[in-house]
Amino acid sequence: MNTFSSGDAMGLLVVAVVLLLLGAMLIRAIGRSSADLEALRKRCQMWTQIGIGLTLLQIVLRGDWRFGSVLLLITLFTGSLWYAARHYEKKRRQQPPSE
């Protein structure tokens, strides 16, 4: 019941590619944005922590690697957005304001 079939692997691959493309587009947009990134950073951190908890609960308590792997991909997606927002926020603080 909890083994990967070829359909499960293909579905996981499709989800991974969609999240990879979406993440790349969003990270590029974060770098070009002039908005305050603190709210985005905090929101992404919260969802990353929730995703880690749900992934661990799914894998450890239920032993279901299929849905746990999708949750892990979503956690990696939100974690990468958090890291990008943190990186660009620090980068902006180091740059002197241009007039």
Side-chain angles (χ1 to χ4, degrees), residues 53-90:
L54 289 175
T55 302
L56 289 176
L57 284 174
Q58 186 69 27
I59 291 173
V60 173
L61 295 180
R62 299 225 18 223
D64 189 4
W65 284 91
R66 295 176 298 171
F67 188 62
S69 58
V70 172
L71 283 172
L72 182 63
L73 287 175
I74 293 170
T75 302
L76 290 173
F77 171 74
T78 58
S80 65
L81 291 179
W82 168 79
Y83 185 76
R86 184 176 149 248
H87 171 74
Y88 285 117
E89 194 174 38
K90 282 185 177 183

Side-chain angles (χ1 to χ4, degrees), residues 23-64:
M25 290 180 354
L26 288 173
I27 289 172
R28 286 183 59 182
I30 290 171
R32 292 189 305 253
S33 173
S34 62
D36 183 28
L37 297 175
E38 185 177 359
L40 175 66
R41 182 180 49 83
K42 287 181 179 181
R43 200 173 308 120
C44 287
Q45 182 181 16
M46 178 193 66
W47 280 110
T48 301
Q49 292 170 347
I50 290 170
I52 289 170
L54 289 175
T55 302
L56 289 176
L57 284 174
Q58 186 69 27
I59 291 173
V60 173
L61 295 180
R62 299 225 18 223
D64 189 4

